[in-house]
Amino acid sequence: MPEYEISVERTGAKVATRAQLADGPLTRMKGLLGRRSLDRGEALILRPCWSVHTWFMRFALDVVFVDKTGRVLKIARRIGPWRFTAARGAADAIEFQGGSLDSEDLAEGDRLLIAPATTTPDRA
């Protein structure tokens, strides 16, 4: 599965260096279920998606909702298991490990750029 990088247009900072795209009904439905965590720099892009639930999840999520142009509509931080969050008008939801966006300069109105990853880490 191809990997993507996600950066903030305003600052150039990379918020994810290993993002995967879930754009089919089965991959979106599975999402992160069964995972124990996400590593720093990992993310899951759910497309299309305007709402996220954390039922049966084992860890908290940071979720960024963006419109069709990549503009950040909402940032939901540290969404614990058995919760729900949504953003009207969102085209994608991007899930990160809960708390991983705390040190990032990211705000509503920023634009996220999603591009194919320039390097693929060894998966030995």
Side-chain angles (χ1 to χ4, degrees):
M1 179 177 279
E3 290 190 337
Y4 298 87
E5 295 177 339
I6 304 171
S7 59
V8 181
E9 183 180 56
R10 177 177 52 83
T11 65
K14 287 185 183 177
V15 292
T17 54
R18 295 178 320 278
Q20 295 203 338
L21 176 63
D23 60 352
L26 294 177
T27 55
R28 286 194 337 263
M29 187 184 322
K30 181 174 186 318
L32 295 173
L33 289 175
R35 298 277 307 256
R36 293 188 184 276
S37 66
L38 283 173
D39 291 334
R40 183 150 184 81
E42 272 190 296
L44 179 66
I45 306 161
L46 299 164
R47 177 178 294 156
C49 185
W50 60 271
S51 67
V52 169
H53 70 79
T54 58
W55 305 333
F56 305 105
M57 291 294 297
R58 299 178 182 188
F59 58 97
L61 297 176
D62 286 351
V63 182
V64 178
F65 293 96
V66 298
D67 68 11
K68 290 184 225 175
T69 68
R71 185 96 34 219
V72 175
L73 300 174
K74 178 179 177 179
I75 303 170
R77 297 179 189 270
R78 298 179 187 265
I79 305 301
W82 300 100
R83 300 290 183 247
F84 174 85
T85 187
R88 173 170 277 157
D92 299 345
I94 306 169
E95 299 178 334
F96 300 85
Q97 174 75 37
S100 65
L101 296 179
D102 289 352
S103 62
E104 300 294 339
D105 182 14
L106 179 63
E108 291 179 11
D110 280 342
R111 177 185 258 171
L112 295 183
L113 304 174
I114 300 172
T118 55
T119 60
T120 304
D122 292 335
R123 303 254 186 218

